[in-house]
Amino acid sequence: MTQALSDFKKLMDAEEYFQFFQLPFDEQIVNVNRLHILKKFSQLVAKIDAAFPDIEPEEKLNQYREALQQAYSVFLTSTAVEQKLFKVFNEKPKNVVLLSEIESD
């Protein structure tokens, strides 16, 4: 891999990450799950950075590449609602009463 860590830090779009790492992807999957893939990827990157703070840049990029592939793979078989990566999926709506909360006399 000839890319540099400084080039990686300039990436912004999901497609740019896939192109940077030369990973194949389905545009429809990315369009539907873009934010969720990037959120999962950022979580995995944070784990890599915490676990290997002194890793060489080339190896770090290899780890990041695997993390992006893993994040993408999650959404090939799962949905955003199932993954619950964002706070909104974990909060109970305030204006909804569940049937299980209704008692009868």
Side-chain angles (χ1 to χ4, degrees):
M1 191 173 302
T2 60
Q3 290 92 348
L5 200 52
S6 60
D7 294 330
F8 171 81
K9 292 179 180 180
K10 295 176 187 174
L11 302 176
M12 297 178 70
D13 298 329
E15 291 84 356
E16 289 179 348
Y17 286 101
F18 284 100
Q19 291 165 358
F20 179 84
F21 289 119
Q22 300 174 352
L23 290 172
F25 65 96
D26 181 331
E27 282 186 49
Q28 186 173 351
I29 299 289
V30 172
N31 286 337
V32 171
N33 299 294
R34 172 181 315 280
L35 295 177
H36 305 282
I37 292 169
L38 291 176
K39 176 72 171 181
K40 183 70 172 173
F41 177 53
S42 72
Q43 291 173 341
L44 295 170
V45 164
K47 286 182 182 180
I48 292 166
D49 290 344
F52 307 104
D54 299 324
I55 194 171
E56 292 294 321
E58 187 174 336
E59 180 57 29
K60 183 177 278 198
L61 287 174
N62 287 333
Q63 294 283 327
Y64 287 176
R65 183 181 193 278
E66 289 177 26
L68 180 59
Q69 183 63 54
Q70 182 181 348
Y72 175 74
S73 295
V74 166
F75 293 97
L76 294 176
T77 59
S78 184
T79 67
V81 175
E82 292 171 335
Q83 291 300 308
K84 299 182 186 305
L85 294 172
F86 290 97
K87 184 179 176 181
V88 68
F89 290 113
N90 294 308
E91 292 180 342
K92 178 184 170 193
K94 292 176 175 62
N95 61 346
V96 174
V97 177
L98 300 175
L99 289 175
S100 61
E101 295 175 345
I102 299 174
E103 295 180 11
S104 63
D105 293 333

